[in-house]
Amino acid sequence: MRIVITNTSGRPIYEQIEEQIKEAILSGELAEGDLLPSIRQLARDLKISVITTTRAYSDLELQGFVAVMQGKGCFVLRKDSELVREQLLRRIEEHLCAAINAARVAKLPRGELRRMLEVLLEDERYE
Amino acid sequence: MESVSNVINSMRLDFHIQKANYKTFFALGYALAIVLGVVTRTPYVSVLIAMVISAAFSSSLFLVSERNRLGRLYGILPLRKSELVLGRYLYTLLFGLANAIAASLLTYVISLVTGHTVAFLDLSAYVCASFLYFCLFTAIVFPVYFRFGFSKNYLLTNVPLYVLYAAGYGFVRKGNLKDLYGVMRYFTKNPGMIWLCGVGGGLALLAVSYGLSRLTYRRYEQ
Amino acid sequence: MRTNGMNNAVEIQGLRKAFRNFTLKDVTFSFPQGYIMGLVGKNGAGKTTTIRLLLNMLARHAGAVRVFGMDNIKDEQRIKQDVGVVFDEIFFVDSWRVSDVERAVKGFYSRWSGQAYGKYLKSFGLPADKRVKELSRGMKLKLMLAVAMSHEARLLILDEPTSGLDPVARDELLGILSAYISDGEKSVLFSTHITTDLEKIADFITLIHNGTVFYTGTKDDLLESYRIVKGGPGDLTDRLRENTVGLERNSAGFSGLVAASELKHPPGRIVAEAPSIDDILVRISAGDGIRE
């Protein structure tokens, strides 16, 4: 599992950790039942505060990506759980909004935008 | 209140503090004692010299402590002030006793080698007197060092004592014993009293001094 | 993150000590076992005094200090069995060999482990027969650390351990401390004026300024509570100026430290970025406290 944090991005470190773990789960790199490094081990490896890793893990738990078991560790949950799906839907909405905003700046007509989507769906062979 | 094992730990610590300078002490101190004992043709003088130098040397505990900021070590260790103080007194007492015995043996050796005889009575007197001196010196300087530190005070405490010693030595050398005939006769009749006064007196002085140190000692705010 | 009363490594309340030229007052902070608390402040702010008071090396004038829930004066001996300390200067006799250090102190600790000491000497590269005076600055620090960690101490206290060390040695130290607390049972109190050391690994921060506590809480909260604002000369509103600490002005504009709560509706084109602990320390030292 790859987690790389940066001090210069302006985003809080716990957020960066959450994002990267979410990415790994959603992309399938981390499978259901995989054990994440312990809170303290992760803190030690990344040379950051234990409180930061605790926060990242508990946020991920709240969002339904992982489950923290006392004494055993932090496990990845099933990918198609309700909350995970919600995350993905939210992600799709975000990206679509970004596309819409860009289209607005470019003054692209609505019909053109729709056509663009259809073409891309064809190209990407989306079922 | 004090734990015996911690007092022993404190004594062991003092031993380690002092041990680096042992070689110098033994070499110089006893060399001087031997030389003077031979040169003056009174071997008993070795005991006096050895004990005087031992007394001065035991102050080195404070010197080394201060120079190496051991006050911080004392602050960290699970060691009570009272255990530290008692340990130092006991260690110094043992040091004094050990030197008294070693110096006495040395005196016998010198007397055998140089042929100047040594009477047990006279030797007892010298040993007890110098042990008493050792305790007196310690009893005076220790509370001062415990309370006020070493570096500012060692000149003040030492000078009067050396003056006292020099005067006493000169007094004894000149044989000005007429004033003490009464005392001497008493002691000659009761040799046991020499030991009682010397050793007992010395211990009493140390006990009083210990009480004083324990009341007034505070750890240095470093 | 709330610290409940139980299982606090250290609890200090209303600590006070007056000197001729300086007074430490109303110092209150605590942190739970298993974490690292950084005590930050510029030189002379009161960090070392606080630590001396905690160890009862100085007598306090007021306040309460508890370590592992025990009073630091009543249970001083018991506490010190469980506490390891490292200072900025070594406190062993300089003619001692590294092996003598063990002989001198191990009797005091009921849980001294010669094995652990030997292991630390080896991993730190400290030869047993080397004399203390022959050790470099970094090696002296490691020696104090080896002693502090060889009697199963539950709390490590370090007072300015890294002053005079190069960045490589400092990084090594942080690695050692991280490993030390990795079982979740041991705690660290680390005082320094070099804030970059704590930036990464501290869980909690107490910032001391002029003898009082400016902030105490998690490091994350501290960094989220303040912002460095920058803008052009025309962007400095009166309201902003009132709420800024450590304001710096030049021909290109201004910068200063502001509470994040003040920036809900940032005026104009000012830029607000996350501060480092250093930024906060420098600005409050320049500006004498936040004006609300």
Side-chain angles (χ1 to χ4, degrees), chain A residues 6 11 15 24 38 40 44 46 67 71 75 81 101 106 111-112 117 120 122:
Chain A
T6 159
R11 293 182 54 221
E15 258 184 43
S38 78
R40 286 187 173 270
R44 201 172 139 188
L46 294 177
F75 294 88
S81 67
N101 283 330
E112 285 276 347
L117 180 59
L120 285 171
E122 273 298 313

Side-chain angles (χ1 to χ4, degrees), chain A residues 84-107:
Chain A
V84 172
R85 186 175 165 73
E86 257 181 53
Q87 281 286 311
L88 290 169
L89 288 176
R90 204 179 309 147
R91 183 81 65 86
I92 297 170
E93 268 182 39
E94 275 172 25
H95 286 299
L96 285 176
C97 280
I100 292 172
N101 283 330
R104 191 169 302 169
V105 174
K107 296 201 170 61

